[in-house]
Amino acid sequence: MEAVVERGNLKLAYQRVVENKGAAGVDQLAVSELKEHLKRHWPTMRARLLAGTYQPQPVRGVNIPKPQGGVRTLGIPTVVDRLLQQALHQVLQPIFEPTFSDASYGFRPGRNAHQALRQAREYVAQGKRWVVDIDLEKFFDRVNHDLLMSKLATKIGDARVLTLIRRYLEAGMMTDGPVQPRTEGTPQGGPLSPLLSNILLTDLDRELERRGHTFCRYADDCNIYVASERAGVELLQSLTGFLAERLKLTVNAAKSAVARPWQRKFLGYSLTWHREPKLRIAAPSLKRLTEQVRALLRGARGRHLGATIQTLNPLLRGWAAYFKLAETKRALEDRDGWIRHKLRCVLWRHWKRSHARARKLMQRGLTEERAWRSATNGRGPWWNAGASHMHAAFPKSWFNTLGLVSLLDTVQRLQRVS
């Protein structure tokens, strides 16, 4: 605990909490108010931490939609508890990091999803052309506290630290009504939760290694690559029992499967079926991007197109940066074309009357006869946005001058750089 509350450790934790920003917890204290709060209250908090009497506040429950449907409940700690969890994380991570598997890629220094995806592709290229895709049912909500604490106690000798972590695990959750007590789970939303998940699931990693399997795990998302369907079916059945008995976790039978890698998705990607498989963007990831773009463009009516594009660009840049491993171009070209189609539709709606549409088309180089014929064709905005007159007047190069991010161009540039 002395290491947790040490000035340098707290300063680094404070910097990270401020950088991450985030919503206020149940006490409504904002990140911007944390510094002044600590000036007044830190001596008392520090004394309680060192005495082992500090009590965390409840977390604020927030439901967010999952890409596949349904909701995920985040537990947002107060900004003070986020600071203390971050300080704990910085002390505990170096202790547990050497015990983790090389096949674990999530929430670890120097490791990321792209490394896991490249390794998965390599396993399939080596001939492991069946995947056991395990989905753990409500993993973060079902973590067994006693089991997790026993694993922490193997490396942590300070009872104050163990007690504080137990209190964080058991801190109630407040949504709309009174605080609900918790007897299991480590809700997503705090800095400590990802580390705790890796500590618990290391037992699964070691069991798979003991059996000689090749696999990639990113937090609770685990894919195991095998040579035959029969081997996969037997493994899934065996692991279902192992996880229930050893880790008190339930495999979601409806979402888990033994299948070809190109029939499943992993970390937003899938693979092609070729002998030398290629990484491609999974269909649900493309669908989610489509929904996000639609949501942003709903507010575009009446707004200048340049402002709309500036709103859209951060989403497109971030998406392209994550999917820069994509080795197939078609999906990126299709999404680029669809986005331009949507933006042409926005333009057409802006020009509410035929004479305005004709004037704009003539300004973009169409003949008067063609412009008027196009403006008065009686078709709807979506049809016109995809028609040749709008493509001729507003080609890709025009959108480039407005700074619209091209997914394909951005991905190819990032691939050249890396």
Side-chain angles (χ1 to χ4, degrees):
M1 187 59 78
E2 282 75 11
V4 172
V5 301
E6 187 267 329
R7 181 179 177 84
N9 188 56
L10 257 294
K11 187 175 180 180
L12 179 58
Y14 174 83
Q15 290 171 349
R16 288 181 175 168
V17 168
V18 170
E19 287 168 3
N20 291 336
K21 300 177 182 177
V26 295
D27 62 355
Q28 296 302 308
L29 186 72
V31 172
S32 59
E33 301 171 291
L34 178 58
K35 189 172 184 178
E36 287 303 314
H37 181 87
L38 291 174
K39 285 180 181 178
R40 294 195 304 271
H41 299 288
W42 175 244
T44 303
M45 288 169 52
R46 184 178 185 277
R48 287 176 179 168
L49 288 162
L50 291 173
T53 60
Y54 178 83
Q55 289 286 350
Q57 294 194 63
V59 297
R60 183 166 67 88
V62 177
N63 291 327
I64 60 169
K66 295 167 96 172
Q68 305 86 355
V71 297
R72 174 184 289 112
T73 301
L74 297 184
I76 309 298
T78 65
V79 66
V80 170
D81 283 324
R82 290 210 295 277
L83 172 73
L84 297 180
Q85 285 195 31
Q86 180 62 40
L88 275 167
H89 184 282
Q90 289 164 188
V91 172
L92 298 181
Q93 177 90 41
I95 295 171
F96 285 94
E97 179 65 26
T99 71
F100 293 156
S101 167
D102 285 343
S104 168
Y105 293 90
F107 308 113
R108 296 178 60 190
R111 288 175 164 262
N112 56 51
H114 286 171
Q115 293 168 337
L117 288 158
R118 290 189 180 102
Q119 184 62 73
R121 178 185 57 190
E122 180 63 25
Y123 287 145
V124 177
Q126 290 170 3
K128 303 289 182 71
R129 296 175 74 83
W130 289 88
V131 62
V132 182
D133 186 354
I134 293 181
D135 183 276
L136 296 173
E137 192 170 304
K138 295 184 177 179
F139 168 71
F140 285 94
D141 298 332
R142 299 281 173 84
V143 168
N144 183 283
H145 289 175
D146 292 338
L147 192 60
L148 177 57
M149 292 307 303
S150 70
K151 296 185 183 306
L152 289 166
T154 62
K155 295 285 184 182
I156 302 172
D158 191 329
R160 298 167 299 179
V161 172
L162 292 172
T163 299
L164 181 58
I165 294 173
R166 168 75 82 163
R167 286 172 180 162
Y168 275 123
L169 291 172
E170 295 177 348
M173 182 177 291
M174 182 184 292
T175 46
D176 296 324
V179 175
Q180 300 295 320
R182 285 210 321 272
T183 57
E184 62 179 2
T186 169
Q188 293 168 278
L192 207 50
S193 187
L195 175 62
L196 297 180
S197 71
N198 275 333
I199 291 169
L200 185 67
L201 289 174
T202 293
D203 269 15
L204 171 62
D205 299 341
R206 296 307 179 201
E207 177 66 13
L208 289 170
E209 289 170 350
R210 186 184 68 79
R211 299 184 189 188
H213 288 296
T214 53
F215 66 99
C216 298
R217 182 176 66 77
Y218 192 96
D220 60 328
D221 199 348
C222 186
N223 275 10
I224 308 149
Y225 297 89
V226 295
S228 70
E229 183 179 19
R230 180 179 175 180
V233 170
E234 291 175 353
L235 178 59
L236 179 57
Q237 184 178 7
S238 171
L239 287 178
T240 299
F242 171 84
L243 286 162
E245 182 181 342
R246 287 280 295 274
L247 296 180
K248 314 297 182 191
L249 295 171
T250 303
V251 171
N252 187 328
K255 294 184 178 179
S256 300
V258 177
R260 296 294 196 178
W262 44 91
Q263 296 171 329
R264 305 295 289 181
K265 68 179 180 65
F266 181 50
L267 302 177
Y269 283 77
S270 188
L271 288 163
T272 65
W273 54 267
H274 302 92
R275 183 178 297 275
E276 288 295 327
K278 295 181 178 180
L279 285 165
R280 62 183 177 87
I281 303 163
S285 301
L286 292 166
K287 182 181 178 183
R288 189 177 185 209
L289 174 67
T290 299
E291 291 168 352
Q292 290 174 309
V293 170
R294 280 198 179 113
L296 284 175
L297 292 183
R298 282 191 198 109
R301 294 182 183 181
R303 194 196 307 165
H304 187 271
L305 193 69
T308 298
I309 287 173
Q310 292 311 306
T311 302
L312 205 53
N313 277 346
L315 168 66
L316 300 179
R317 281 195 197 95
W319 199 86
Y322 182 74
F323 287 103
K324 68 179 182 179
L325 299 188
E327 298 169 288
T328 55
K329 297 180 182 179
R330 180 66 180 271
L332 295 166
E333 289 174 334
D334 286 350
R335 284 305 84 190
D336 274 341
W338 177 82
I339 289 166
R340 290 193 296 272
H341 193 147
K342 290 289 288 184
L343 292 173
R344 291 186 187 105
C345 192
V346 169
L347 282 174
W348 192 264
R349 289 181 187 276
H350 279 178
W351 314 324
K352 297 183 183 299
R353 300 185 183 278
S354 297
H355 69 272
R357 290 168 178 167
R359 186 177 72 253
K360 291 290 185 181
L361 292 173
M362 285 188 283
Q363 287 174 357
R364 291 295 307 154
L366 269 63
T367 64
E368 182 177 1
E369 187 272 335
R370 187 183 181 189
W372 276 103
R373 189 173 72 247
S374 301
T376 57
N377 61 30
R379 301 275 192 163
W382 185 252
W383 186 92
N384 276 287
S388 61
H389 52 270
M390 285 296 280
H391 277 261
F394 302 97
K396 179 180 183 296
S397 58
W398 183 81
F399 286 101
N400 290 344
T401 63
L402 287 184
L404 176 66
V405 168
S406 162
L407 296 174
L408 178 60
D409 293 348
T410 305
V411 165
Q412 289 181 329
R413 184 176 71 253
L414 291 171
Q415 287 175 345
R416 287 194 298 270
V417 170
S418 60

